[in-house]
Amino acid sequence: MSYAKVLCVGLVGVTGHLVEVEADLAPGLPAVVLSGLPDTALHEARDRVRAAVVNSGQKWPNRRLTVNLLPATLPKYGSAFDVAIAAAVLGASGELPLLPLAGVVVLGELGLDGTVRPVRGVLPMVAAAARAGIDRVVVPVGNVAEAAVVPGIRVRAVDTLHRLVAFVRDGTPLLEPPADPPAAPFPGADLADVAGQQTGRRALEVAAAGGHHLALFGPPGAGKTMLAERLPSILPALADDTALEVTALHSIAGLLPADGRLIRRPPFQAPHHTATVPALVGGGSGLARPGAISLAHRGVLFLDEAPEFTKGALEALRQPLEHGLVRLVRSQGGTEYPAQVQLVIAANPCPCAKPAGDAYCECSPLARRRYLGRLSGPLLDRIDVQVTLLPVRAAELMETTATSEPSAVVAARVRAARQVAAARWAPLGRQLNAEVPGPELRRPPWRLPARDTGELRRRLDSGALSARGFDRVIRLAWTVADLDGRDRPDRDDVAEALQLRTGGA
């Protein structure tokens, strides 16, 4: 036999594609030709695979060897093809009967000593194999727990190339996934830790219930960061399909925990204010990697000290916030990453940021305007809830344990409000109030009567409120009504929504 084929999976962004790894031996001087749009890491597989095969006690063919990756038009990235290439080469040389690997996807990177090392992105790769009708995969032992979360797939693992050879040649069993460990409760901070700040707590609850973006302004120590860090604690756990999507993104970034469990808690990303545009939205040489906004998909992206971020970094968030998707184009190809996040920004009112408040501010009015002016109007216009927090009083600080609701109580209200909204918008294919298109809210049966939206219309005509802002206030009003148990927003709900949108201005 001089030809063999083994199945593998390649990733483009977060999407996996089935790849056929072909090996063919031909007469001629010994050489290895690798085709099928491989990247640099894949070109280096020629040397890795040869050393791993020899050091595993197998014979390397002393002939001209061509390895092709189909489809040839699809770019191939990374080292996950190593084990499949080794198996195809041994099959083509007649060293290995590949019938036991028929219809099996093989993934893994090879060390020079023949060890099989874990790779990034195994979860979306295995999910792609399942969509293609494959029901058996062989993965590195370090990725077996991660691969096992995909339903309908029989997962087996290898730690060395020698183990794979023994399985194919002699039927020696491969390693099986470990038993699932018991689910652990979500760790994290609790809203009961926040002293006072009833306005901030209400804004956080409304943002959580409707999926709205949130901006918190106020002096240092007012509780902006504490509130933002506790937003995930009142969000519902991720459903199965959503958890699989979020976990796949973290798998690509190499950020999954060792146990490989599905990520059930909404992710929380808080990049430092020195973060670059690629760090926020994704980038890098070759195929672009996901950034913080994609790693926060279905969760929270928190920008503390938001005016300290560069203007370019902040403006780069506008398109992903609007469309819930990041499109990155590089010389080696383009890719898309989901980015449906709740953006939370926190900002001091001025550069000096005196903890005692505005009465002790040393900044001129011009300096204050310039500082907050770093947050552009178009960006702020996309943030539904914008509130200003006042310094915490001593009485509130000392009575927090007696008066503050814990996250579990608030989360129950948020969950109930989301269920009401999901049932209402199901005919539109939407789940959250923040996702409903503005035109749908302005036509029957969802259009609110003029008597309840009179103030909004006046502000829109005067230019104090944009058309986008008008729609966002209406969405907020629906969320307020859901939290308070009303079927439709009334004038008071619209008034509260307007106050949450404008900070009472």
Side-chain angles (χ1 to χ4, degrees):
M1 178 181 291
S2 62
Y3 172 85
K5 179 177 68 176
V6 176
L7 295 179
C8 193
V9 176
L11 279 180
V12 178
V14 76
T15 305
H17 303 271
L18 202 63
V19 173
E20 297 179 0
V21 180
E22 299 180 308
D24 180 76
L25 292 176
L29 294 175
V32 179
V33 178
L34 188 61
S35 61
L37 292 184
D39 70 343
T40 301
L42 196 47
H43 265 298
E44 295 171 348
R46 295 176 295 186
D47 300 318
R48 285 196 307 271
V49 172
R50 185 182 188 280
V53 167
V54 172
N55 291 328
S56 298
Q58 307 303 313
K59 184 179 178 180
W60 183 261
N62 194 27
R63 299 164 64 185
R64 179 178 176 84
L65 172 63
T66 302
V67 176
N68 185 42
L69 308 177
L70 294 176
T73 56
L74 180 76
K76 319 298 189 308
Y77 304 95
S79 57
F81 301 91
D82 286 5
V83 179
I85 292 174
V89 169
L90 291 175
S93 65
E95 292 289 315
L96 205 60
L98 292 183
L99 186 59
L101 292 182
V104 179
V105 162
V106 180
L107 304 170
E109 174 186 323
L110 284 173
L112 298 184
D113 59 351
T115 57
V116 179
R117 303 181 182 276
V119 294
R120 292 181 178 184
V122 162
L123 177 56
M125 291 179 185
V126 175
R131 290 195 300 270
I134 303 297
D135 61 359
R136 292 180 295 163
V137 298
V138 176
V139 301
V141 67
N143 297 121
V144 64
E146 172 187 350
V149 304
V150 179
I153 290 286
R154 182 183 177 188
V155 180
R156 293 296 181 264
V158 289
D159 53 355
T160 63
L161 180 60
H162 183 271
R163 187 182 295 275
L164 180 66
V165 170
F167 163 73
V168 175
R169 183 176 291 158
D170 306 321
T172 304
L174 298 178
L175 303 176
E176 296 193 9
D180 289 338
F186 289 157
D190 196 283
L191 263 180
D193 302 330
V194 180
Q197 294 300 3
Q198 295 306 312
T199 298
R201 293 173 65 95
R202 176 64 172 179
L204 197 73
E205 184 175 342
V206 170
H212 306 285
H213 304 313
L214 171 65
L216 300 170
F217 303 99
K224 304 185 296 295
T225 302
M226 286 190 71
L227 285 168
E229 290 175 343
R230 284 151 180 78
L231 178 54
S233 70
I234 62 175
L235 294 174
L238 301 179
D240 289 347
D241 55 342
T242 305
L244 195 63
E245 188 178 24
V246 171
T247 309
L249 281 165
H250 284 72
S251 174
I252 293 171
L255 298 176
L256 279 186
D259 60 9
R261 276 184 166 275
L262 281 178
I263 296 176
R264 292 290 185 180
R265 185 174 189 176
F268 180 83
Q269 291 286 316
H272 192 261
H273 61 76
T274 57
T276 61
V277 172
L280 281 179
V281 300
S285 60
L287 187 68
R289 294 286 184 181
I293 192 170
S294 292
L295 295 177
H297 178 57
R298 301 291 185 178
V300 178
L301 176 64
F302 175 46
L303 304 184
D304 202 4
E305 307 294 346
E308 300 295 337
F309 283 78
T310 64
K311 183 177 181 62
L314 292 174
E315 295 305 301
L317 298 175
R318 286 163 51 180
Q319 186 268 344
L321 290 177
E322 196 73 17
H323 300 287
L325 190 71
V326 175
R327 295 182 177 89
L328 301 169
V329 180
R330 297 294 185 268
S331 60
Q332 297 185 23
T335 186
E336 294 182 348
Y337 291 112
Q340 296 182 25
V341 303
Q342 279 189 260
L343 176 66
V344 180
I345 68 172
N348 295 316
C350 64
C352 79
K354 292 290 185 179
D358 292 349
Y360 295 88
C361 178
E362 299 174 354
C363 301
S364 67
L366 179 60
R368 292 170 67 93
R369 287 198 301 271
R370 282 179 174 173
Y371 185 72
L372 289 180
R374 298 177 186 177
L375 304 175
S376 69
L379 177 64
L380 287 176
D381 203 32
R382 287 167 167 80
I383 299 178
D384 302 7
V385 182
Q386 304 178 27
V387 296
T388 299
L389 306 182
L390 300 176
V392 178
R393 296 172 178 260
E396 295 173 330
L397 189 64
M398 302 306 295
E399 295 177 2
T400 176
T401 56
T403 60
S404 296
E405 282 185 317
S407 291
V409 175
V410 180
R413 293 199 297 266
V414 168
R415 187 165 52 251
R418 285 196 171 205
Q419 290 171 350
V420 170
R424 177 173 60 245
W425 305 123
L428 301 179
R430 307 290 178 172
Q431 294 286 323
L432 300 172
N433 291 325
E435 299 174 351
V436 181
E440 295 290 346
L441 295 171
R442 297 192 300 272
R443 64 171 64 109
W446 311 116
R447 184 172 60 195
L448 301 182
R451 65 177 182 274
D452 294 336
T453 60
E455 178 63 17
L456 292 186
R457 294 166 183 262
R458 186 187 67 80
R459 294 199 181 204
L460 182 62
D461 290 340
S462 67
L465 196 66
S466 68
R468 181 187 288 116
F470 181 95
D471 290 338
R472 292 185 182 275
V473 172
I474 297 298
R475 295 187 186 110
L476 280 172
W478 279 100
T479 302
V480 171
D482 291 340
L483 281 171
D484 294 345
R486 285 183 286 277
D487 293 337
R488 294 178 65 88
D490 57 21
R491 182 180 301 180
D492 292 338
D493 296 329
V494 175
E496 182 179 355
L498 182 61
Q499 186 174 26
L500 289 170
R501 168 74 180 181
T502 62

